[in-house]
Amino acid sequence: MSKPKGFEKPAGVRDYLPHVVDKLRRIEHRVLECMGSWGYRQIITPSMEYYDTVGVASSTSDKKLFKLLNNRGTTLVLRSDMTAPIARVVSSLLKEEKLPLRLSYHANVFRAIEEEAGREAEFFQTGVELVGDDSPEADAEVVALAIASLKAAGVQSFKIAMGHVGFLNGLFEEIVPGQKELQEELKEVLLKRDYVGYREKIDALPLEDDKKERMSAILRLRGGKEICSKAEQLSASREARSSMNHLCSVWEVLEAYGVSQHVLIDLTMIGDFSYYTGMTFEGYAAELGSPVCSGGRYDKLLKQFGKDVHATGFALKTNRIVDGVRGIRVEQPLPVLIEYTKEHRAEALSRAGELRSEGRIVVTRLMARDDDRYNQAIEMGEQGSNYAVSMLQGKYEKVYTYSNSI
């Protein structure tokens, strides 16, 4: 392998130029402010965690974790999501806090990738975790907050697809009982949105036509509240029916929030993390084909850290919003330029400080005596004022020049 050139960087990471950072920070600020208005307090966790704790608890596959050794030979990982680190904090530093807990975050996360175009090894997430409430109200709250957060981020046209892990678990166990490997294969195909492949797998099973039809019917169950009654006809499983009752209760709360027009029920939605145990959802913007947010219920994760409580949450995929959504436009105000000669340095820098305290952006510049701008300042100077004003179109709002009076 050849040595990387001085300007090269590893695959999957990127440089953020000033205009992109301006947009990223604006989105971060607006979204966290929105989350704060719903009672969510911001938390920051380390970029590095122990592999044997957060690394193992994470749903990210082992081969996608960035691992490193500290000077004691202990294996560490770069965090691959924020849910597992927050579960660690809730189970330790916040274990005495009264439940439910509402926490928010904005952070970079890391996942090792194949060197493919468009895939990112480091990216930003902005999200929340609601810990200690297993009700439909809690699940509806995070969905409604996800909708509010997308709007705050400038995403104007989007849909939230909402499903429930328990419905598929109940349906599959009823029709192909005990065949866990097959059930996982079917879920994997659905996760990839390979509906043709799913039908092919169903057709190849040694099942009665009625059972095949029931397993295939979930592909057609996408819509509003009417899906609740239709889903009941597919499975008599207690788990499947309980899951649908929960999901439909969530829908009723979303109606009360006045946001159900942004949501559709999709029973193929199972989420891409293995720790999801209940309601899951993904949000899609009109401009993008990939999700801009995802979330769901994970009631067993905190038990791995010694605190057996329910939890639900979501994360915005902030990078995708920055790159692919045109909703927020950041117009950076033009700076003021203050030029000065050595003799008027203190006066000029004092004026720069005054303008900055007023919220203005100020750039300062020392002029040399052979500088054309210096000579121009002498020509434009006003007796007794020690500065002259001019305009540099497009680059500065104003130019203040402090020089010798004439």
Side-chain angles (χ1 to χ4, degrees):
M1 182 177 178
S2 61
K3 183 178 179 180
K5 298 180 175 63
F7 56 81
E8 289 184 318
K9 58 186 182 298
V13 297
R14 61 185 285 191
D15 300 306
Y16 290 83
L17 300 182
H19 70 282
V20 181
V21 174
D22 288 341
K23 186 176 180 181
L24 177 67
R25 294 305 183 205
R26 180 68 62 86
I27 291 172
E28 172 191 355
H29 174 75
R30 288 180 57 167
V31 171
L32 287 173
E33 189 175 60
C34 172
M35 294 169 173
S37 72
W38 287 57
Y40 288 77
R41 298 175 295 161
Q42 191 174 356
I43 187 172
I44 297 175
T45 67
S47 298
M48 292 183 296
E49 298 275 2
Y50 283 119
Y51 170 75
D52 288 335
T53 56
V54 168
V56 172
S58 169
S59 66
T60 306
S61 64
D62 205 63
K63 65 181 181 180
K64 290 186 177 181
L65 294 174
F66 278 103
K67 300 177 185 176
L68 56 157
L69 295 176
N70 65 11
N71 56 2
R72 297 181 179 180
T74 306
T75 303
L76 309 176
V77 292
L78 297 179
R79 61 187 175 207
S80 61
D81 63 31
M82 282 296 295
T83 302
I86 290 177
R88 173 185 59 77
V89 175
V90 169
S91 302
S92 55
L93 300 176
L94 296 177
K95 65 181 180 180
E96 302 300 330
E97 290 276 325
K98 185 178 179 180
L99 298 177
L101 276 174
R102 289 175 170 85
L103 301 172
S104 65
Y105 60 85
H106 175 81
N108 54 341
V109 297
F110 307 85
R111 293 177 198 162
I113 59 166
E114 300 293 335
E115 295 192 7
E116 303 172 10
R119 300 296 299 276
E120 292 183 319
E122 178 188 17
F123 50 95
F124 288 95
Q125 293 183 337
T126 312
V128 302
E129 310 295 349
L130 173 52
V131 181
D133 189 340
D134 65 344
S135 68
E137 299 280 339
D139 282 335
E141 178 177 315
V142 298
V143 175
L145 178 51
I147 292 169
S149 298
L150 286 171
K151 291 179 178 179
V155 184
Q156 297 173 350
S157 180
F158 60 89
K159 275 290 184 182
I160 302 287
M162 183 174 67
H164 199 294
V165 174
F167 180 81
L168 282 181
N169 288 342
L171 177 65
F172 288 170
E173 184 60 26
E174 180 184 16
I175 296 177
V176 285
Q179 300 184 49
K180 297 300 183 183
E181 185 174 340
L182 171 61
Q183 293 177 20
E184 291 305 315
E185 288 177 5
L186 293 172
K187 290 179 188 178
E188 187 66 27
V189 176
L190 289 175
L191 182 60
K192 295 177 180 177
R193 296 289 185 268
D194 181 7
Y195 300 139
V196 173
Y198 178 78
R199 287 191 179 95
E200 290 175 347
K201 283 186 173 292
I202 296 300
D203 290 340
L205 294 176
L207 297 172
E208 296 89 342
D209 289 343
D210 172 65
K211 292 182 177 180
K212 289 182 179 182
E213 171 57 28
R214 287 162 60 197
M215 294 185 77
S216 297
I218 61 172
L219 301 179
R220 300 188 295 272
L221 292 184
R222 290 169 60 90
K225 192 174 182 179
E226 73 279 1
I227 300 302
C228 296
S229 58
K230 293 180 180 179
E232 289 182 356
Q233 302 171 18
L234 295 185
S235 177
S237 160
R238 175 183 292 183
E239 182 177 9
R241 294 201 166 188
S242 173
S243 300
M244 278 310 303
N245 288 337
H246 182 94
L247 199 60
C248 295
S249 296
V250 172
W251 180 275
E252 290 176 357
V253 182
L254 292 174
E255 286 182 322
Y257 274 112
V259 297
S260 59
Q261 71 274 18
H262 295 290
V263 184
L264 61 86
I265 294 175
D266 179 356
L267 294 182
T268 67
M269 177 62 57
I270 56 176
D272 58 355
F273 287 146
S274 60
Y275 53 56
Y276 285 143
T277 59
M279 183 275 297
T280 65
F281 66 95
E282 288 183 345
Y284 292 84
E287 298 99 319
L288 295 172
S290 52
V292 290
C293 77
S294 61
R297 176 161 292 281
Y298 53 98
D299 285 342
K300 297 180 181 179
L301 178 61
L302 277 89
K303 189 176 182 179
Q304 298 185 50
F305 295 95
K307 191 175 181 69
D308 189 8
V309 294
H310 307 280
T312 184
F314 74 89
L316 298 192
K317 303 179 187 299
T318 319
N319 291 61
R320 292 178 183 172
I321 295 174
V322 167
D323 294 334
V325 177
R326 297 183 296 275
I328 288 183
R329 287 180 172 83
V330 179
E331 294 184 3
Q332 188 71 22
L334 292 175
V336 171
L337 173 63
I338 293 184
E339 300 179 311
Y340 57 89
T341 58
K342 286 184 178 180
E343 294 86 350
H344 296 276
R345 178 187 287 134
E347 182 183 1
L349 297 182
S350 175
R351 179 57 178 154
E354 292 173 1
L355 291 172
R356 287 169 182 146
S357 67
E358 296 171 5
R360 308 288 288 278
I361 301 172
V362 182
V363 176
T364 59
R365 175 175 177 262
L366 173 66
M367 296 188 298
R369 290 186 178 274
D370 58 353
D371 194 320
D372 289 340
R373 294 284 304 149
Y374 174 84
N375 295 325
Q376 183 183 4
I378 297 298
E379 295 172 4
M380 295 177 62
E382 299 178 12
Q383 187 68 35
S385 67
N386 288 336
Y387 70 89
V389 178
S390 66
M391 297 292 290
L392 293 179
Q393 187 67 33
K395 189 172 183 181
Y396 298 104
E397 179 189 349
K398 283 187 177 181
V399 181
Y400 293 89
T401 305
Y402 289 72
S403 64
N404 296 324
S405 300
I406 58 173

